[in-house]
Amino acid sequence: MARRSETLSASTEVAIRPEFADRKTTKSVDGRDVTDWFCEDFTLAELQSLKCREAEPSLRPQNVRYDGTEPVLSLADVLAIARAGCVRTARMVGVCVRLLRPARFEGLGLDVVQRLADELSIEGYVAPAAAVWVQVSEPEALRAFGKISPVRRMLVLEDKALASDPATIVAAQGAAQAVCADQALLIDFAAQPAPTLTALAQGLRAAGFQVFSRTARAENAFLPPPLRRGEQPADRGDVQKLIRALMSAPVDGLATDVPADAARVRRALAAR
């Protein structure tokens, strides 16, 4: 299921679907009680019957007009879109798959690591050169995936304290070929005369990892203070400066909600 959370109310219309009213429940997630609709309580067909909605309408009110117009996609749907893009553009279009909380799902009796490996194999992604990366924030899950699939693996650093610990680099050895982290962990924006890679990013490179940036977003709420513009969290900041710093550092890849801005920056850098 192509969603960013195991809960469904924020990004789908599940709350207004009367046939699913009894699926709302309270579960413990990361040591706290969460009341919502959980994806593991639905079949794939039921999930695909749901329509998507903007998960953060206060930050992206312009997207609310699309609420209820698109269905939830499966992994097979996403891979098919990527392959169609390859044909349409005559370029390689890959997919970066994020496995969320595999340890939690394992505790529920759901081996999502094995299921992902099986699905990618069925779809023909069976080589290290395949146009797909698998992202996980749990090193043990990545190691388990690496034993059953040759697809490239990327460790996501979410805990800032962990990410700043040199032992993190050692822990990632054997789990992944690349590491993905927030921009603030990868780029020193105070460096002169231009932003540069942080000590953590340089250490990852020296250890043989590729370095990727997590999603670059345009809203102030997601940008470092020097790049914010205006007073409101939803105001658009200088995301192009952020992307320029990432591409110039350079990182090996980045995710972004504003691909047009990223393409514009890339063209400008290439024209130098």
Side-chain angles (χ1 to χ4, degrees), residues 6-268:
E6 67 268 70
T7 57
L8 300 171
S9 65
S11 65
T12 78
E13 57 164 9
V14 68
I16 62 172
R17 294 282 293 272
E19 69 269 38
F20 298 135
D22 63 347
R23 308 284 179 93
K24 188 176 184 180
T25 186
T26 300
K27 299 187 181 187
S28 178
V29 179
D30 291 341
R32 63 187 181 90
D33 287 342
V34 176
T35 301
D36 210 300
W37 289 260
F38 289 80
C39 65
E40 64 265 21
D41 297 328
F42 292 74
T43 67
L44 178 59
E46 289 173 333
L47 291 169
Q48 291 185 288
S49 76
L50 297 173
K51 293 294 193 295
C52 300
R53 61 195 295 265
E54 172 55 55
E56 300 190 74
S58 63
L59 290 179
R60 303 186 182 99
Q62 71 278 9
N63 290 345
V64 173
R65 66 182 185 273
Y66 300 115
D67 285 1
T69 63
E70 297 291 337
V72 173
L73 299 178
S74 68
L75 175 58
D77 293 331
V78 174
L79 294 172
I81 290 170
R83 289 194 293 267
C86 293
V87 175
R88 186 179 65 255
T89 65
R91 298 175 60 186
M92 181 62 70
V93 178
V95 174
C96 194
V97 183
R98 176 79 185 273
L99 264 184
L100 287 173
R101 304 181 191 276
R104 174 182 178 272
F105 286 106
E106 183 179 7
L108 297 172
L110 299 171
D111 189 350
V112 293
V113 172
Q114 184 67 58
R115 290 190 184 193
L116 176 58
D118 292 343
E119 182 77 7
L120 290 175
S121 179
I122 291 169
E123 294 289 337
Y125 295 84
V126 292
V132 65
W133 282 89
V134 169
Q135 286 187 332
V136 190
S137 61
E138 300 170 16
E140 288 308 313
L142 275 181
R143 289 191 181 92
F145 181 83
K147 294 176 181 177
I148 55 178
S149 173
V151 168
R152 292 170 294 178
R153 307 179 304 283
M154 187 183 303
L155 178 66
V156 180
L157 296 183
E158 294 185 303
D159 187 318
K160 289 181 171 55
L162 178 65
S164 62
D165 185 346
T168 298
I169 299 175
V170 177
Q173 296 282 2
Q177 292 87 24
V179 173
C180 182
D182 287 336
Q183 297 89 29
L185 295 173
L186 300 178
I187 301 294
D188 179 1
F189 290 98
Q192 296 296 329
T196 60
L197 290 176
T198 61
L200 172 67
Q202 292 177 39
L204 290 168
R205 279 273 178 79
F209 293 101
Q210 293 187 61
V211 176
F212 287 74
S213 166
R214 296 183 70 185
T215 308
R217 298 182 171 94
E219 295 85 8
N220 280 340
F222 304 110
L223 290 169
L227 302 184
R228 296 171 188 168
R229 303 292 182 265
E231 301 297 326
Q232 301 302 317
D235 288 344
R236 183 184 175 92
D238 195 348
V239 68
Q240 287 197 27
K241 188 171 183 179
L242 170 62
I243 294 171
R244 189 178 304 112
L246 291 166
M247 289 185 176
S248 299
V251 295
D252 296 289
L254 64 94
T256 183
D257 285 348
V258 285
D261 289 88
R264 193 173 298 115
V265 171
R266 185 175 61 181
R267 287 194 298 268

